[in-house]
């Protein structure tokens, strides 16, 4: 006759077995039940940099974090489609590229919705979606590369401060803001910027399933309104986020389903500067303002 | 000790028995359900609240609640004690010193579904200076030192 303890352990095992069976039946990656389907909304907001972060003046969103969220959504069997909620002027080359690379691996419907602006690197990200939805007054495009920076050489001369050049390689200080750039240096930098530009154009063309020539024509750095985007092929539909979610559901063949949304925590200064800068041309294709905020030790900061 | 005298289990023995059962429930019985729970709602609570609670959450919550209630109720109804209580030598009986019924077991354990409810339920012991939680009074049950027969 079994003792009480053995019976109790047997009961414990039965409960575990029940729990295990539930997990196997209901949460098995290969079995999906109606109602389990989910559409994930991933925000792409603010300037995109590789690691993100914030300073007193501004903050940026991490391309790595966005890419990780896309990866998780793609691997999650419950997630049937992804909506990219874009409100970004672009960012650094690599910050945008990690997101683009991850989007290329996605085998689920992806719809990008551009609210206020989706320019430059952010448009590069959007171009990898199956469809782009934007408001008729959204700012899109600005497909180009920016490497502008402030040069203080003249200012230093005015104050009798000289730049003592100590380099072991001829071009080590090629983009130093403390000296005037030579025409040769400028040509070298422009050559590299052009390389990034060409890469961007080809990638956008592939993403949009348009010819490189067509995108090249549009890639002069100019921004377009959403309505113009419909005419020149940069935008597929005029609409807002709800429209994009419904479109994603339709593409994924999901009738109901949950909509899960990541939210971004923003600080006081983020909101303050966001409101302030909304009224300037900062948002149009990453203007001089962003360069001011993100000049690195070398001076040059390449952005798309 | 007078024959038939009831010796109530001490508060701390009951607390330790509860925690032992709690760990058993979390790491043994509910362990297969932890992964899907985390994958659906994130590993930390702030991430979890970024999601809209839907069918999945409701289903998992009901299942987990059901298993928690089933464990304590069945163990105390069938064996008069949970594994934690066995370990600390205490058991549950009806106030008339008989084995408790399944209904009694469910009523006395219902507050274990929520830590807040359990806390309030236990708080009653201190206010009334009794050896019974509020839901033990309702279910006419008590926890006593195990009588070796």
């Amino acid at each position: 006759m079994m003792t009480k303890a053995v019976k109790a352990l047997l009961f414990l095992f039965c409960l575990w077995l029940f729990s295990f069976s539930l997990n196997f039946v209901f949460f098995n990656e290969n079995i999906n039940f109606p109602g389990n389907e989910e559409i994930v909304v991933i925000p792409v907001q603010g300037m995109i940099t590789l690691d993100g972060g914030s300073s007193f003046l501004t903050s940026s969103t991490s391309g790595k974090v966005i890419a990780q969220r896309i990866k998780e959504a793609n691997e999650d069997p419950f997630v049937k489609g992804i909506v990219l909620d874009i409100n970004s002027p672009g960012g650094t080359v690599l910050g945008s590229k990690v997101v683009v690379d991850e989007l290329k691996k996605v085998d689920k419907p992806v719809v990008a919705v551009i609210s206020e602006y989706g320019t430059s690197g952010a448009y590069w990200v959007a171009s990898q979606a199956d469809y782009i939805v934007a408001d008729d007054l959204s700012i899109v495009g600005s497909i180009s590369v920016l490497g502008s920076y402030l040069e203080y050489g003249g200012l230093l001369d005015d104050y009798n401060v000289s730049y003592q050049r100590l380099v072991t390689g001829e071009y080590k200080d090629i983009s130093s803001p403390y000296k005037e750039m030579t025409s040769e240096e400028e040509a070298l930098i422009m050559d590299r910027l052009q390389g990034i530009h060409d890469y961007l154009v080809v990638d956008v063309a592939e993403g949009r399933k348009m010819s490189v020539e067509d995108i090249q024509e549009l890639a002069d750095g100019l921004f377009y309104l959403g309505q113009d985007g419909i005419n020149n092929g940069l935008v597929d539909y005029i609409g807002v986020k709800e429209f994009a979610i419904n479109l994603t559901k339709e593409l994924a063949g999901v009738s109901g389903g949950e909509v899960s949304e990541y939210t971004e925590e923003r600080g006081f200064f983020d909101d303050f500067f966001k409101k302030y800068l909304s009224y300037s041309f900062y948002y149009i294709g990453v203007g001089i303002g962003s360069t001011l905020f993100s000049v690195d030790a070398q001076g040059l900061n390449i952005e798309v | 000790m007078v024959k038939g005298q009831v010796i109530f289990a001490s508060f701390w023995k009951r607390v330790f028995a509860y925690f032992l059962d709690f760990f058993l429930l979390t790491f043994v019985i509910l362990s297969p359900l932890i992964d899907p729970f985390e994958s659906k709602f994130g590993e930390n609570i702030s991430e979890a609240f970024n999601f809209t609670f839907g069918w999945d959450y409701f289903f998992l919550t009901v299942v987990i609640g059901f298993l928690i209630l089933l464990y304590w109720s069945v163990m105390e109804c069938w064996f008069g004690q949970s594994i934690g209580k066995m370990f600390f030598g205490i058991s549950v009986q009806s106030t008339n010193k008989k084995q408790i019924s399944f209904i009694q077991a469910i009523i006395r354990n219902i507050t274990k579904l929520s830590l807040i409810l359990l806390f309030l339920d236990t708080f009653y012991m201190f206010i009334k200076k009794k050896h019974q939680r509020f839901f033990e009074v309702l279910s006419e049950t008590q926890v006593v030192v195990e009588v070796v027969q």
Side-chain angles (χ1 to χ4, degrees):
Chain A
M1 190 174 164
M2 281 194 289
T3 63
K4 195 195 272 186
V6 174
K7 281 181 188 172
L9 287 173
L10 199 63
F11 176 65
L12 199 68
F13 175 73
C14 290
L15 284 181
W16 176 84
L17 204 63
F18 177 68
S19 178
F20 179 81
S21 309
L22 276 175
N23 177 29
F24 183 78
V25 174
F26 288 98
F27 301 104
N28 192 315
E29 295 198 350
N30 300 316
I31 305 172
N32 281 317
F33 289 87
N36 271 354
E37 292 99 347
E38 198 179 325
I39 300 294
V40 168
V41 180
I42 299 173
V44 181
Q45 317 232 321
M47 189 165 167
I48 309 163
T49 59
L50 193 59
D51 294 307
S54 59
S55 64
F56 176 75
L57 286 174
T58 187
S59 72
S60 62
T61 190
S62 165
K64 279 183 187 170
V65 169
I66 297 168
Q68 180 62 27
R69 287 172 176 176
I70 292 167
K71 186 172 186 277
E72 282 169 10
N74 192 37
E75 288 171 356
D76 190 331
F78 295 103
V79 175
K80 301 297 173 194
I82 300 168
V83 174
L84 296 171
D85 183 12
I86 297 175
N87 197 15
S88 164
T92 61
V93 178
L94 218 58
S96 304
K97 189 175 179 291
V98 289
V99 182
V100 168
D101 288 345
E102 201 56 54
L103 278 170
K104 286 178 180 171
K105 297 176 197 162
V106 175
D107 51 12
K108 295 172 181 177
V110 180
V111 173
V113 56
I114 296 170
S115 49
E116 202 171 353
Y117 49 95
T119 51
S120 208
Y123 185 80
W124 184 16
V125 169
S127 71
Q128 304 305 308
D130 297 313
Y131 293 100
I132 298 179
V133 176
D135 189 90
D136 49 3
L137 291 180
S138 297
I139 292 168
V140 302
S142 187
I143 306 162
S144 56
V145 186
L146 174 80
S148 315
Y149 69 100
L150 288 181
E151 190 227 293
Y152 313 122
L155 182 74
L156 296 180
D157 288 344
D158 289 347
Y159 288 91
N160 203 24
V161 178
S162 60
Y163 173 67
Q164 204 63 45
R165 189 165 187 257
L166 297 169
V167 289
T168 55
E170 191 183 348
Y171 301 114
K172 185 63 185 169
D173 60 348
I174 191 167
S175 57
S176 168
Y178 306 117
K179 68 174 184 63
E180 198 177 338
M181 188 181 277
T182 66
S183 54
E184 187 202 352
E185 287 174 336
E186 190 181 329
L188 284 169
I189 288 178
M190 279 308 294
D191 183 53
R192 277 146 187 81
L193 291 182
Q194 191 60 47
I196 299 168
H197 178 94
D198 294 344
Y199 185 99
L200 179 64
V201 166
V202 170
D203 230 33
V204 170
E206 279 175 9
R208 294 297 299 156
K209 296 178 182 62
M210 289 170 71
S211 71
V212 174
E213 290 73 28
D214 285 346
I215 294 295
Q216 190 69 63
E217 257 184 54
L218 299 167
D220 54 3
L222 190 62
F223 67 92
Y224 298 92
L225 297 181
Q227 189 56 56
D228 301 329
I230 291 282
N231 301 327
N232 61 27
L234 293 183
V235 175
D236 296 300
Y237 295 103
I238 294 296
V240 289
K241 192 156 87 179
E242 283 67 32
F243 176 83
I245 289 168
N246 289 332
L247 178 63
T248 313
K249 283 184 180 178
E250 199 181 310
L251 292 170
V254 175
S255 51
E258 274 180 55
V259 177
S260 302
E261 189 162 356
Y262 286 97
T263 53
E264 297 290 345
E265 283 181 17
R266 299 187 72 86
F268 170 78
F269 286 109
D270 298 326
D271 289 335
F272 178 81
F273 279 97
K274 189 177 176 182
K275 281 172 189 163
Y276 172 73
L277 293 170
S278 287
Y279 300 102
S280 73
F281 276 95
Y282 171 82
Y283 285 145
I284 304 165
V286 188
I288 293 169
S290 65
T291 314
L292 263 172
F293 296 148
S294 55
V295 168
D296 60 17
Q298 275 242 308
L300 182 70
N301 196 29
I302 299 170
E303 291 161 354
V304 289
Chain B
M1 179 182 162
V2 181
K3 191 183 175 186
Q5 185 188 354
V6 171
I7 303 173
F8 289 106
S10 75
F11 174 74
W12 287 111
K13 266 192 179 180
R14 295 185 62 176
V15 169
F16 288 130
Y18 169 77
F19 278 113
L20 186 59
D21 286 326
F22 181 82
F23 279 105
L24 270 174
L25 270 165
T26 309
F27 296 108
V28 180
I29 298 174
L30 302 177
S31 61
L33 298 173
I34 288 174
D35 273 354
F37 198 89
E38 282 185 347
S39 70
K40 289 304 292 172
F41 306 110
E43 287 179 13
N44 56 54
I45 201 77
S46 63
E47 213 176 304
F49 279 97
N50 284 340
F51 281 87
T52 314
F53 292 161
W55 184 87
D56 292 344
Y57 178 80
F58 179 75
F59 177 73
L60 270 170
T61 310
V62 169
V63 166
I64 289 170
F66 171 74
L67 284 169
I68 289 171
L69 201 55
L70 194 71
Y71 167 75
W72 262 296
S73 302
V74 170
M75 291 294 284
E76 290 180 355
C77 176
W78 285 1
F79 309 117
Q81 50 192 173
S82 62
I83 291 176
K85 285 188 178 73
M86 278 181 199
F87 195 82
F88 286 96
I90 56 179
S91 61
V92 182
Q93 61 174 209
S94 194
T95 44
N96 60 12
K97 297 175 191 171
K98 288 183 179 170
Q99 189 176 359
I100 66 169
S101 70
F102 194 63
I103 298 292
Q104 280 179 302
I106 288 176
I107 295 170
R108 61 169 271 109
N109 286 309
I110 198 93
T111 53
K112 285 175 184 164
L113 291 175
S114 157
L115 277 176
I116 297 168
L117 285 180
L118 184 62
F119 176 79
L120 292 174
D121 192 20
T122 310
F123 197 59
Y124 175 86
M125 292 169 76
F126 294 99
I127 293 174
K128 293 285 179 182
K129 293 180 179 161
K130 284 189 168 191
H131 293 279
Q132 289 168 291
R133 290 185 283 112
F134 179 67
F135 275 75
E136 285 174 345
V137 175
L138 283 184
S139 61
E140 296 178 343
T141 58
Q142 56 197 11
V143 182
V144 296
V145 173
E146 194 178 5
V147 180
V148 181
Q149 295 186 0

